[in-house]
Amino acid sequence: MRESFGAKSFEYRLQIGLERSLKKYGYADRISEKTEFKKHSLWLQELVADPEREEYLNVIENYLRKKSDFLSVDELIDALNSYDTGAIKTITGFFEEFNLPAPRHCDTSGYYSAVLAQLKKIDPSIVGIIIYWDEFTTVFSIAGKNDDANLLGLIQSWAEKASSNIYLFLISHQSPEALRGKHKVLDDSLAKITDRFVVADIRMDKITTY
């Protein structure tokens, strides 16, 4: 995990994880709500396929050559389909520079809610979504090192999704409580995480590998 990991990267990971699960279990093509990556990819594909918008396409191609590591729109589409966060930053940067409306997409929390609502219609036996995130210790550590209260605030907000049957299950070698005192700026945020999550302390025997 890169040091640049922050609130937005956290949301991207959640989007990617859910879409991969939908593909794995055969639901992806039956869900109309898409990730931010997919919506931008589809928008670009429609642009490429429309001969009347060739001039618009040329503007994007020029932008890519001047201000990105991507040499063409096709390359950018491939990167978006591979969940490249650099591709997302590039295409959103284009919309911002030219003050153009980007493809509509809901935030990550809204994406999960919309997907769950559609899954329930497809299969009434589905009642919720559980997100398992292993090795979460690193996320806490990076948030502390960078004094990233926004990331911790986002984690807190996901705890509240439990009321909508969307559960975030974090596996960390250190609890938020154990990290308090190491990063003074974030003590309050870490305390709120402890208050909003059910914390289970699982002690394991030491395992030696050869």
Side-chain angles (χ1 to χ4, degrees), residues 89-143:
K89 291 177 182 177
T90 295
I91 188 62
T92 54
F94 168 78
F95 288 120
E96 290 171 0
E97 176 154 327
F98 290 90
N99 196 27
L100 296 169
R104 186 205 67 80
H105 63 84
C106 55
D107 61 14
T108 305
S109 176
Y111 170 62
Y112 267 75
S113 296
V115 168
L116 179 56
Q118 291 182 38
L119 285 173
K120 287 180 176 179
K121 291 180 180 179
I122 295 170
D123 183 351
S125 70
I126 296 175
V127 296
I129 296 173
I130 299 178
I131 307 156
Y132 292 96
W133 194 317
D134 198 358
E135 299 298 335
F136 207 78
T137 315
T138 310
V139 180
F140 283 137
S141 297
I142 292 175

Side-chain angles (χ1 to χ4, degrees), residues 141-153:
S141 297
I142 292 175
K145 183 176 180 180
N146 297 324
D147 292 336
D148 193 346
N150 289 333
L151 174 55
L152 294 181

Side-chain angles (χ1 to χ4, degrees), residues 41-138:
S41 172
L42 291 172
W43 184 87
L44 287 169
Q45 290 176 57
E46 291 175 1
L47 179 66
V48 171
D50 187 352
E52 295 185 0
R53 304 179 71 188
E54 184 177 358
E55 188 172 335
Y56 197 160
L57 181 61
N58 290 335
V59 172
I60 297 180
E61 294 273 12
N62 288 333
Y63 174 85
L64 294 179
R65 284 191 288 269
K66 292 178 181 178
K67 298 194 174 183
S68 82
D69 295 327
F70 301 100
L71 301 178
S72 68
V73 168
D74 287 338
E75 188 177 316
L76 182 60
I77 291 171
D78 288 341
L80 287 167
N81 291 339
S82 298
Y83 305 117
D84 185 332
T85 55
I88 281 285
K89 291 177 182 177
T90 295
I91 188 62
T92 54
F94 168 78
F95 288 120
E96 290 171 0
E97 176 154 327
F98 290 90
N99 196 27
L100 296 169
R104 186 205 67 80
H105 63 84
C106 55
D107 61 14
T108 305
S109 176
Y111 170 62
Y112 267 75
S113 296
V115 168
L116 179 56
Q118 291 182 38
L119 285 173
K120 287 180 176 179
K121 291 180 180 179
I122 295 170
D123 183 351
S125 70
I126 296 175
V127 296
I129 296 173
I130 299 178
I131 307 156
Y132 292 96
W133 194 317
D134 198 358
E135 299 298 335
F136 207 78
T137 315
T138 310

Side-chain angles (χ1 to χ4, degrees), residues 146-162:
N146 297 324
D147 292 336
D148 193 346
N150 289 333
L151 174 55
L152 294 181
L154 190 58
I155 296 169
Q156 294 169 37
S157 70
W158 275 87
E160 298 170 2
K161 296 291 288 181

